[in-house]
Amino acid sequence: MIESLEVLADPLIRNRIETLYSNSDIKQFSSDCEQYLELIRESLPDNLRHTLFLYEDTLTSLQTVLESKIYLQGFKDALYLFNELHIQMK
């Protein structure tokens, strides 16, 4: 069941994340972060720029995994709560 939930929830999760990132406040925050990272990149010596790139890449990967896991857990929690409420109402 969990695998089928993941398959069914995946398009919903993608849609929700796309909607979230289209929010103007999130866009502004993301733009600000990118400006700060660019300032850091410019301030670093050449030999550390690749290290910063690896750090950013790791953070992005972690964020992507966490977003999906958080939304999937939300669906699981909602189904559990629905089932509990449905059982209690019978």
Side-chain angles (χ1 to χ4, degrees):
M1 161 132 172
I2 291 179
E3 290 82 18
S4 61
L5 176 62
E6 290 180 24
V7 169
L8 291 171
D10 188 59
L12 298 170
I13 292 169
R14 287 176 198 249
N15 185 323
R16 181 65 185 124
I17 290 172
E18 287 172 5
T19 301
L20 179 68
Y21 282 102
S22 67
N23 178 294
S24 61
D25 292 335
I26 299 294
K27 282 184 178 180
Q28 182 60 48
F29 181 70
S30 180
S31 176
D32 292 347
C33 287
E34 188 56 43
Q35 286 178 341
Y36 294 133
L37 281 170
E38 185 60 35
L39 183 63
I40 291 170
R41 273 187 220 106
E42 292 171 358
S43 302
L44 286 175
D46 290 340
N47 63 330
L48 292 179
R49 288 184 184 177
H50 183 68
T51 303
L52 179 62
F53 168 78
L54 294 174
Y55 175 73
E56 288 177 71
D57 188 50
T58 302
L59 283 180
T60 301
S61 298
L62 177 62
Q63 179 179 354
T64 300
V65 169
L66 285 176
E67 286 169 349
S68 293
K69 296 287 183 188
I70 288 168
Y71 278 109
L72 184 58
Q73 187 60 49
F75 283 116
K76 290 177 184 176
D77 293 344
L79 285 173
Y80 175 78
L81 181 59
F82 176 80
N83 285 334
E84 287 294 311
L85 291 172
H86 185 70
I87 289 170
Q88 290 177 7
M89 291 183 167
K90 285 186 176 183

